[in-house]
Amino acid sequence: MQKNPKASNLSSDIPHNSSNTESRKDTSCLFSTEEMPQIETRVVLVQEAGKREELLKALETIKIMEVPVIKIKESSPDKSEEKLIKSIIHMEIKVPYIKTDTIEELGDADSPEFETIFVVSDFQAPIFTNLCKADCRVIGPPVVLHCAQKGEPLPFSCRPLYCASMLNLVLCFTGFRKKDELVKLVTLVHHMGGIIRRDFSSKVTHLVANSTHGDKFRIAVSLGIPIVKAEWIYKAWEKRNEIDFCAADDDFRNQFKVPPFQDCMLSFLGFSDDEKANMEEMTEMQGGHYLPVGDERCTHLVVEESTIKDLPFEPLKKLYVVKQEWFWGSIQMDARAGESMYLFEKSESPDFKKSVSLLSLSTPNSNRKRRRLKETLAQLTRETDMSPFPPRKRPSAEHSLSLGSLLDISNTPESSTANGETPKSCSRPSKNSTPLPLKQSARWQVAKELYQTESNYVDILTTIIQLFQVPLEKEGQLGGPILAQEEIKTIFGSIPDILDVHTKIKEDLEDLMINWTESKSIGDIILKYSKDLLKTYPPFVNFFEMSKETITRCEKQKPRFHAFLKINQAKPECGRQSLAELLIRPVQRLPSVALLLNDIKKHTAEENPDKVTLERAIESLKEVMTHINEDKRKTEAQRQFFDVVYEVDGCPANLLSSHRSLVQRLETVALGDDLCDRGEQVTLFLFNDCLEIARKRHKVIGAFKSPHGHTRPPASLKHVVLMPLSQIKKVLDIRETEDCQKAFALVVRPPTELNNKLLSFQMTTEDPCKEDWLKMLCRHVANTICKADAENLIYVADPDSVEVNTKDMDSTLSRASRAIKKTSKKVTRAFSFSKTPKRALRRALMSHSATEGRSPSSANEGYIGSRLSSTSSLAGVPSPSLVSLPSIFERRSHTLSRSTTHLI
């Protein structure tokens, strides 16, 4: 027994008779050494548990066990009231373990002088039932192994504890009507260390639901508590013997989450055929079913509120008639949303009713009524004109604003923000309060248009950030993060930095318009921020295509992100435009500003100092756009580099270089046997200083490669050689004949060879044409070896002189021969334990045939036949591909000679 035992709070599950118990904070009063109970600790291995060697070794390393202790303390000498101090103390295990087959062998299992822990392997065995009836402490082998691994004492539990896979989890149940099923689930949870709560509270970590109705379900959704099926508990119990398994692991738990539309029958009204098909598909993906409109089994009718003003029938009382926002919101939250917030009602705007009633007044003579009518019409007009989004028929027209909004300087986006038409802007409120003359110069009109479009552009950027980026980055999202941080960064890039720059430009333009004079310099404002524009725009524009690709990919792969986009796209702030359509605005903005500055320059007098400044401002914008285009070209080149590296298996790392760029890709077929087999598909990647040659990758039997979770597909090509262009001595343009089409050859000399090699290919694509390809290749070869006469590198050759023929490349016999050659290689590699060098094998066969008096040619034939037969024998059974190919040739080519068939 330890002299200074360590104590901690005892679980509230310990039974006690006294109504007065000491609070948790008072349990710090520990027992003195004299007051320590005289208890002997022991661990008993029952039946099969005593035969497991790993348990015996684990118990030898565990020296401590938790022991529950209760002390009775009188509150005062004069009163008989008593308090219970409940504690758990750590006590030493002096004897590692005892083995037994029956409880009766111990005789003193229920004696208070002993604190005994029974280790039982089977919680279904009769002895386990007997131990539970005797109120003994029972644990399973995984608990012992877990404590040994973590260096922890054997835990106390007032219930049998088999494993710790649900330790510290607090569960609540809802929707279960069968008592037997609920009792079974609760028992399993206790066996895995979980805690059950009858009522839902903030301490609950998981809700086990058999229904999507009820208050518990609604509270769990609102608090973001994971909601799972009962199958989660059963599957966790199946993994009870895995020591490191945790039932709360996200990947495991997500397999059993309750889908948003479980028990729901949905119908859709007012949507286009494509939208309806998409929503029906999403319904089934999210655990629901869909029915035709009007079906009595339907539980929810989802209505497109912008097109449906009234229902075509009287809905049943049990039917929820909801807006489409409920549908997408449920998918985004990954749980069924409450219907009360999304009920469909007839959309009748109070402002619209008010304007209609004013327009139909029978006595319009009243000045007050006329004034109210005028104000109402003005308000409606202002709300219409001030939307920063153009009509959807012309999504790219940046300047499709109403004439009134461009001419009325008081009509700023900040004023419409107050009316709820545009999102909150990060810029300061408009300072405009000075009335301006009705007539202004043409220069002022265009300057006003520049300010107005700049203001609308700032509002669009603010919408992108406030409506999309900020919610996606928000921590503690219901259902977990919608996107990974890397994906969010890829989509939005430098949008916040661009917004900061244009907010400042807008403020300066606003000050200029308020204090307008013809001598005010607009060009200075653009020049002031030209460096900031140069810094912020290239990172976004260069990766804009990648941003769109990420949006498209995530929308297809992540239903919650798709729902998130649908919800926000329907909001008035977006003008019913998608995120991709909004993100294209920064790409269009600088050219638009340049055009407006040109218009201002046209209406600026020659003597005005701003004339020269505007020219400089326009030039600075052109420099920014040129820099963007140059950066974009470099970025695309880098992306092409990495695409080649990912596509070609075994691609050399030294291919990646800052001075190297991809010029052309060409698909060909090999006409010789130097680099790879004749007829094999070969891809040539021409760089400015080298040529990467790769062949089509063969699928190896029984050795399929896994992408290991990467989003990119496995490499489709296999690296053959990376050849510097300086090794190409001549480029042969092979004449076109009936037997030779679209062929060319390269005369190369590798540094390790003394003689030249001839590499011949046949082009398999129409673009580029052969003449352009050869000229392009020679030009880069000449640049590499510093020669100006690139044309002199091309030589015209006859097919016979270089022994090149393409006539049989597409014939049945040629394809079959190549297939057999590849198949034999595959089978040999798949079933050989050691790879015998091909040349050595051929030499052995030739020497063997020479001793028997056969010619070398017959030896080669024998080699081919023996190679195929030995391959089949290695496999143990005839290879299906080898057996089937000759039969195919016999069926398809009756004209083949017997000797040719024998050779195959």
Side-chain angles (χ1 to χ4, degrees):
M1 191 183 303
Q2 289 183 329
K3 294 184 178 180
N4 297 312
K6 181 180 178 182
S8 60
N9 293 334
L10 183 65
S11 171
S12 59
D13 293 326
I14 296 179
H16 56 83
N17 299 324
S18 175
S19 58
N20 297 322
T21 58
E22 190 140 334
S23 63
R24 287 180 179 267
K25 63 182 180 180
D26 294 330
T27 58
S28 58
C29 178
L30 302 180
F31 298 93
S32 65
T33 306
E34 293 77 11
E35 294 175 333
M36 283 295 297
Q38 301 301 314
I39 300 175
E40 183 177 341
T41 59
R42 57 187 183 182
V43 178
V44 178
L45 299 174
V46 181
Q47 295 179 351
E48 294 297 325
K51 301 176 183 179
R52 297 177 57 174
E53 291 295 330
E54 69 273 16
L55 278 180
L56 305 183
K57 293 180 180 179
L59 284 171
E60 290 176 356
T61 64
I62 300 175
K63 304 298 182 182
I64 306 294
M65 66 184 295
E66 293 181 351
V67 177
V69 177
I70 299 177
K71 178 184 178 183
I72 303 175
K73 180 181 178 182
E74 295 183 358
S75 58
S76 63
D78 301 332
K79 298 181 180 180
S80 59
E81 293 183 4
E82 298 173 344
K83 290 185 178 180
L84 299 182
I85 301 177
K86 300 181 296 182
S87 299
I88 289 180
I89 62 175
H90 289 185
M91 300 188 69
E92 183 181 358
I93 305 174
K94 294 184 178 180
V95 180
Y97 54 83
I98 302 171
K99 296 182 181 180
T100 184
D101 290 331
T102 62
I103 308 177
E104 290 76 14
E105 290 182 6
L106 293 177
D108 50 6
D110 56 348
S111 173
E113 298 178 0
F114 296 94
E115 184 64 24
T116 308
I117 296 179
F118 294 89
V119 183
V120 181
S121 295
D122 186 5
F123 272 32
Q124 302 294 326
I127 194 168
F128 170 78
T129 306
N130 296 334
L131 287 170
C132 292
K133 289 180 179 179
D135 198 22
C136 298
R137 285 179 62 178
V138 183
I139 62 175
V143 174
V144 177
L145 298 174
H146 173 83
C147 292
Q149 181 180 343
K150 301 292 185 181
E152 299 174 353
L154 291 178
F156 168 75
S157 176
C158 59
R159 298 185 180 90
L161 180 65
Y162 187 86
C163 62
S165 56
M166 285 193 176
L167 200 64
N168 300 323
L169 300 188
V170 182
L171 276 62
C172 188
F173 290 83
T174 183
F176 291 88
R177 299 186 179 277
K178 297 180 180 179
K179 184 178 179 180
D180 294 342
E181 181 184 11
L182 187 58
V183 169
K184 183 179 180 181
L185 290 170
V186 169
T187 302
L188 292 180
V189 171
H190 285 151
H191 288 349
M192 292 184 283
I195 301 171
I196 305 296
R197 290 288 179 263
R198 181 187 300 273
D199 299 322
F200 197 93
S201 67
S202 59
K203 295 182 180 180
V204 173
T205 60
H206 295 77
L207 177 67
V208 184
N210 198 35
S211 170
T212 57
H213 303 281
D215 294 337
K216 291 182 180 179
F217 186 89
R218 295 266 65 84
I219 296 173
V221 171
S222 63
L223 295 178
I225 302 298
I227 305 173
V228 293
K229 304 175 184 177
E231 187 183 3
W232 174 61
I233 298 175
Y234 292 127
K235 291 295 183 181
W237 180 247
E238 291 178 5
K239 293 177 173 287
R240 60 188 179 275
N241 290 314
E242 299 180 17
I243 301 174
D244 297 325
F245 169 72
C246 178
D249 180 73
D250 289 342
D251 292 336
F252 176 75
R253 186 197 66 211
N254 288 337
Q255 301 176 37
F256 310 102
K257 65 181 181 181
V258 175
F261 301 135
Q262 179 174 302
D263 305 329
C264 294
M265 300 285 185
L266 276 57
S267 295
F268 302 95
L269 181 63
F271 299 94
S272 66
D273 292 340
D274 292 340
E275 287 178 321
K276 184 179 178 183
N278 178 35
M279 296 175 82
E280 289 175 347
E281 181 181 357
M282 296 292 291
T283 299
E284 291 189 332
M285 287 176 57
Q286 301 299 323
H289 302 279
Y290 61 88
L291 297 169
V293 175
D295 195 305
E296 294 183 354
R297 296 171 296 169
C298 181
T299 60
H300 294 76
L301 177 62
V302 184
V303 178
E304 167 58 280
E305 61 272 17
S306 62
T307 58
I308 300 298
K309 303 303 178 185
D310 200 1
L311 297 179
F313 60 91
E314 186 65 28
L316 300 175
K317 290 185 178 180
K318 66 176 183 179
L319 178 66
Y320 289 108
V321 183
V322 293
K323 304 174 185 177
Q324 63 167 329
E325 191 176 355
W326 171 85
F327 178 84
W328 298 116
S330 298
I331 298 176
Q332 180 185 330
M333 291 192 303
D334 208 15
R336 177 179 160 190
E339 292 82 1
S340 58
M341 296 176 59
Y342 305 97
L343 293 177
F344 171 77
E345 297 176 356
K346 296 181 181 179
S347 57
E348 293 182 1
S349 171
D351 291 336
F352 180 78
K353 287 182 177 180
K354 180 179 177 182
S355 62
V356 171
S357 62
L358 289 173
L359 287 170
S360 59
L361 291 174
S362 58
T363 57
N365 297 326
S366 170
N367 291 332
R368 187 175 67 177
K369 292 180 179 179
R370 287 181 178 178
R371 185 167 61 253
R372 288 172 58 191
L373 173 61
K374 184 177 180 180
E375 290 174 355
T376 302
L377 291 176
Q379 180 184 359
L380 293 175
T381 304
R382 181 166 62 252
E383 291 174 355
T384 304
D385 292 342
M386 275 316 301
S387 173
F389 302 98
R392 289 183 63 80
K393 293 181 180 178
R394 295 193 298 150
S396 62
E398 175 120 7
H399 309 299
S400 55
L401 301 168
S402 65
L403 182 61
S405 67
L406 293 175
L407 298 179
D408 182 10
I409 194 167
S410 65
N411 198 10
T412 61
E414 286 80 2
S415 62
S416 10
T417 303
N419 296 325
E421 292 299 320
T422 55
K424 285 186 177 181
S425 176
C426 299
S427 59
R428 54 190 172 86
S430 175
K431 301 182 294 184
N432 178 30
S433 59
T434 307
L436 292 169
L438 293 177
K439 292 185 178 181
Q440 288 289 349
S441 64
R443 173 178 159 86
W444 180 89
Q445 299 283 0
V446 184
K448 171 62 182 70
E449 185 176 353
L450 174 63
Y451 164 71
Q452 187 64 67
T453 56
E454 186 70 16
S455 179
N456 289 338
Y457 178 57
V458 167
D459 285 331
I460 290 171
L461 295 179
T462 305
T463 296
I464 293 173
I465 292 176
Q466 297 296 336
L467 213 60
F468 292 94
Q469 186 175 0
V470 171
L472 288 173
E473 292 177 340
K474 183 180 179 182
E475 295 182 358
Q477 300 174 31
L478 293 178
I482 297 176
L483 293 181
Q485 287 297 323
E486 296 79 8
E487 293 168 330
I488 297 174
K489 182 63 179 176
T490 302
I491 291 173
F492 297 100
S494 59
I495 287 287
D497 299 328
I498 295 174
L499 174 61
D500 290 341
V501 176
H502 281 275
T503 299
K504 297 174 183 176
I505 294 175
K506 175 201 166 185
E507 291 173 353
D508 289 355
L509 287 174
E510 185 177 350
D511 291 336
L512 181 142
M513 297 305 296
I514 292 172
N515 305 299
W516 174 262
T517 62
E518 289 295 323
S519 60
K520 289 283 186 179
S521 177
I522 300 173
D524 282 339
I525 297 176
I526 305 300
L527 289 173
K528 178 180 176 182
Y529 298 102
S530 60
K531 290 184 179 179
D532 294 329
L533 295 174
L534 185 61
K535 186 187 300 182
T536 56
Y537 268 91
F540 180 81
V541 177
N542 292 343
F543 293 95
F544 175 68
E545 292 300 324
M546 188 182 296
S547 174
K548 288 201 304 181
E549 291 171 3
T550 304
I551 293 173
T552 303
R553 174 176 55 82
C554 291
E555 196 172 1
K556 289 180 179 179
Q557 297 178 355
K558 303 186 177 185
R560 293 180 60 209
F561 181 62
H562 177 70
F564 173 79
L565 295 182
K566 285 289 186 181
I567 291 172
N568 288 319
Q569 184 177 335
K571 294 180 179 178
E573 297 96 314
C574 286
R576 300 190 67 82
Q577 294 190 64
S578 66
L579 176 59
E581 290 173 326
L582 295 177
L583 286 174
I584 202 174
R585 297 306 182 87
V587 179
Q588 301 170 338
R589 182 56 187 164
L590 292 186
S592 175
V593 173
L595 291 175
L596 287 172
L597 291 180
N598 269 315
D599 287 346
I600 295 173
K601 189 181 78 169
K602 290 178 183 178
H603 296 95
T604 302
E606 293 293 335
E607 63 275 8
N608 193 325
D610 195 31
K611 186 90 170 180
V612 178
T613 310
L614 283 169
E615 291 178 354
R616 291 172 52 207
I618 295 169
E619 286 300 318
S620 71
L621 284 181
K622 289 182 179 178
E623 289 178 8
V624 173
M625 289 186 283
T626 302
H627 184 79
I628 290 173
N629 292 335
E630 183 65 20
D631 269 12
K632 187 175 182 180
R633 186 188 64 79
K634 292 180 180 178
T635 304
E636 289 298 324
Q638 291 174 353
R639 285 190 63 188
Q640 290 175 344
F641 257 123
F642 284 103
D643 288 342
V644 172
V645 172
Y646 282 121
E647 189 177 3
V648 179
D649 181 29
C651 185
N654 60 358
L655 177 66
L656 296 174
S657 177
S658 59
H659 72 276
R660 187 168 291 144
S661 59
L662 180 63
V663 179
Q664 184 68 51
R665 172 183 178 144
L666 186 70
E667 301 295 336
T668 67
V669 172
L671 298 179
D673 294 325
D674 292 284
L675 294 178
C676 48
D677 295 330
R678 173 179 168 83
E680 199 160 11
Q681 297 181 26
V682 176
T683 302
L684 306 180
F685 295 96
L686 174 62
F687 294 89
N688 59 316
D689 64 341
C690 62
L691 183 68
E692 165 66 20
I693 302 177
R695 62 171 174 81
K696 187 177 180 181
R697 191 176 183 182
H698 300 152
K699 294 182 180 178
V700 181
I701 298 177
F704 295 102
K705 261 194 172 181
S706 169
H708 302 291
H710 297 305
T711 55
R712 289 181 175 272
S716 60
L717 301 174
K718 181 71 175 177
H719 168 73
V720 176
V721 65
L722 178 61
M723 181 187 303
L725 294 183
S726 57
Q727 294 183 11
I728 299 178
K729 305 305 178 183
K730 293 180 182 179
V731 177
L732 303 185
D733 181 4
I734 301 176
R735 285 193 177 94
E736 300 291 315
T737 64
E738 184 178 353
D739 295 339
C740 188
Q741 300 287 330
K742 300 170 66 175
F744 69 94
L746 305 177
V747 178
V748 301
R749 180 181 293 178
T752 57
E753 300 286 342
L754 297 178
N755 299 321
N756 292 334
K757 281 188 175 184
L758 182 70
L759 308 179
S760 53
F761 307 92
Q762 180 188 22
M763 299 174 61
T764 59
T765 56
E766 299 296 331
D767 186 31
C769 66
K770 186 172 78 168
E771 182 180 0
D772 292 342
W773 159 254
L774 296 179
K775 287 182 179 180
M776 184 189 310
L777 175 60
C778 289
R779 184 171 67 253
H780 287 283
V781 172
N783 291 339
T784 303
I785 61 178
C786 299
K787 282 190 175 182
D789 50 347
E791 297 293 334
N792 293 335
L793 292 172
I794 300 181
Y795 295 82
V796 179
D798 292 326
D800 296 337
S801 64
V802 290
E803 299 180 356
V804 171
N805 192 336
T806 64
K807 184 178 181 180
D808 62 338
M809 294 308 298
D810 293 327
S811 67
T812 303
L813 178 60
S814 176
R815 289 197 300 270
S817 300
R818 293 197 299 271
I820 285 184
K821 188 180 291 186
K822 293 176 184 178
T823 304
S824 64
K825 287 182 179 180
K826 293 176 187 177
V827 176
T828 303
R829 290 172 186 168
F831 294 101
S832 294
F833 291 98
S834 60
K835 296 180 180 178
T836 304
K838 182 171 62 174
R839 289 189 298 273
L841 182 60
R842 292 188 65 180
R843 284 196 297 269
L845 289 171
M846 291 177 66
S847 62
H848 178 70
S849 63
T851 58
E852 295 181 358
R854 287 185 293 175
S855 63
S857 60
S858 63
N860 288 336
E861 294 176 1
Y863 158 70
I864 296 175
S866 64
R867 182 180 180 184
L868 293 179
S869 61
S870 62
T871 300
S872 299
S873 64
L874 282 172
V877 293
S879 172
S881 57
L882 295 179
V883 174
S884 61
L885 281 171
S887 61
I888 294 174
F889 305 145
E890 292 172 2
R891 290 197 301 269
R892 294 187 178 180
S893 182
H894 297 288
T895 60
L896 295 178
S897 65
R898 180 175 300 176
S899 60
T900 304
T901 306
H902 175 70
L903 177 62
I904 294 175

